[in-house]
Amino acid sequence: MSRAFGLGLLAVLCVLPMAQAAAASRAIWTWEAESYAMIEDPAVADEAVAYLNSQRIDTVYLYADAYKDRNLIVEQPQLYRAFIERLHGKNMKVYALLGSWYLSTQKYVLPEHRKEAEAMFRRVVDYNASVPESARFDGANLDIEPHILDEWEDDTRADLLIGFLDMSAAVMRIKQESGATLAVGPAIPFWLDGIEVDWNGRHRPVSEHTINIYDYVALMDYRDKAEGRDSILSHAASEIAYANEVGKKVVIGLEVSPNDINKVTFDEEGPKVFEQEVRKVERALRNEPSFDGFAIHHYRAYRRWAGRYWE
């Protein structure tokens, strides 16, 4: 499909009833404390899996790095193996979630910290190589966000984004050289399509460079309405169109956590409005080859948010 897709996207909705098509995949980001609790306690794991199934969530972005001076994927990999096998037994996918406020992993885009990023990803690759297929991660999601660095300013952002692209290329070289098959992609803000940089001899939007590097992107498309100006669909249009061209995938990320800026989250709108807007997005994108479902931020916030309305 041509880049002109973006112009017609918002005006054209598929008329097939939702019941005639399989529902789009739903993933959920699951951060450090919640992931470690699920991994370490079978009772917590059972309750979490039952809850996720009840919410039609079929993919877990499961934190897979160090937390509070422990690194379970290295020290007790059998715990990851047992939990991943449990999720696979429920027909759920598991992606290694890499990136952490606790570890300040935004600094991994800086050249002096690149080896830390590589080591973080290599641990997941090594884990996958050491366990049977039933216990392997299906993918990895990197949440490394240079825009939260203190160094992020108008005159430094291009260099920081180039550092992000260099880090990304290094990670994907590890995947290629190891023969790993897991799908790898980053969480990126929707506004990267408005910043152009020169990288590897090509001048293009950072979003396009990123899509070229990875297998997929999880687009942090944090808005509380599907259609119109400043909406989920309007902000995803260029990424969907470009990913269509180059054969990559885009997951639409949505927010339910509290935020002082109301338009970035469904926190105040609640699950009913959330489902209405998700259905609009799904109808609009279901025939786009690059559309690969949704990711919700994040497990603990989702449970609190849903509980306010449903319990």
Side-chain angles (χ1 to χ4, degrees):
M1 178 165 294
S2 73
R3 299 288 293 280
F5 158 78
L7 298 176
L9 171 62
L10 304 184
V12 180
L13 297 179
C14 181
V15 297
L16 290 175
M18 289 295 292
Q20 292 185 15
S25 173
R26 292 189 184 189
I28 195 160
W29 279 282
T30 308
W31 290 109
E32 298 96 332
E34 292 75 29
S35 292
Y36 268 38
M38 294 176 194
I39 292 163
E40 292 187 283
D41 188 333
V44 173
D46 286 342
E47 194 277 336
V49 172
Y51 181 81
L52 293 170
N53 274 328
S54 76
Q55 301 300 304
R56 297 189 295 126
I57 292 167
D58 57 41
T59 302
V60 178
Y61 293 169
L62 183 73
Y63 184 71
D65 204 355
Y67 179 54
K68 291 188 175 179
D69 299 320
R70 296 188 298 158
N71 197 334
L72 295 182
I73 198 167
V74 174
E75 298 161 3
Q76 294 181 276
Q78 72 277 9
L79 297 179
Y80 275 92
R81 175 174 175 169
F83 186 54
I84 292 171
E85 287 179 335
R86 186 188 308 251
L87 289 169
H88 283 164
K90 297 294 184 179
N91 296 314
M92 300 175 73
K93 293 182 179 180
V94 190
Y95 281 38
L97 177 54
L98 302 174
S100 170
W101 185 264
Y102 167 76
L103 296 175
S104 299
T105 53
Q106 61 272 18
K107 67 188 178 186
Y108 289 2
V109 306
L110 303 173
E112 61 268 29
H113 291 285
R114 181 130 339 115
K115 293 299 182 183
E116 294 171 71
E118 294 177 19
M120 172 187 68
F121 181 68
R122 196 180 298 278
R123 286 191 289 270
V124 170
V125 170
D126 290 346
Y127 164 84
N128 264 17
S130 71
V131 297
E133 185 175 359
S134 62
R136 292 174 191 160
F137 288 103
D138 302 286
N141 184 257
L142 279 69
D143 194 343
I144 310 293
E145 303 180 30
H147 55 275
I148 65 176
L149 283 165
D150 291 339
E151 295 93 326
W152 180 271
E153 302 287 350
D154 287 347
D155 60 348
T156 60
R157 67 180 187 179
D159 286 342
L160 293 175
L161 287 167
I162 288 169
F164 168 76
L165 296 172
D166 288 340
M167 179 208 72
S168 299
V171 164
M172 293 304 280
R173 279 196 297 273
I174 292 171
K175 174 186 171 178
Q176 181 180 15
E177 291 168 1
S178 67
T181 58
L182 74 174
V184 183
I188 62 170
F190 66 76
W191 42 260
L192 286 186
D193 58 4
I195 303 175
E196 297 187 358
V197 299
D198 290 305
W199 187 72
N200 280 4
R202 303 292 297 275
H203 185 82
R204 59 172 67 245
V206 177
S207 58
E208 294 185 6
H209 285 304
T210 305
I211 290 168
N212 286 341
I213 293 169
Y214 285 103
D215 301 313
Y216 76 96
V217 296
L219 190 68
M220 294 184 287
D221 198 0
Y222 295 165
R223 289 295 183 265
D224 62 2
K225 63 177 183 177
E227 301 166 310
R229 293 175 59 85
D230 196 18
S231 66
I232 297 166
L233 286 169
S234 68
H235 291 309
S238 66
E239 289 84 358
I240 289 287
Y242 186 72
N244 281 348
E245 289 185 6
V246 298
K248 300 297 182 69
K249 296 292 185 181
V250 178
V251 176
I252 303 296
L254 302 174
E255 180 67 272
V256 298
S257 303
N259 195 293
D260 291 338
I261 305 173
N262 181 55
K263 70 178 182 180
V264 307
T265 176
F266 285 93
D267 176 56
E268 293 185 4
E269 287 76 10
K272 183 176 179 180
V273 172
F274 175 87
E275 293 296 337
Q276 290 171 350
E277 299 306 297
V278 164
R279 285 195 293 271
K280 293 175 186 177
V281 174
E282 192 168 345
R283 285 195 297 268
L285 297 182
R286 69 151 63 97
N287 293 323
E288 302 305 326
S290 63
F291 174 56
D292 203 28
F294 302 95
I296 303 168
H297 190 255
H298 55 91
Y299 177 76
R300 179 172 57 184
Y302 181 89
R303 294 202 63 159
R304 289 176 176 173
W305 170 75
R308 294 205 321 260
Y309 293 91
W310 293 341
E311 291 180 356

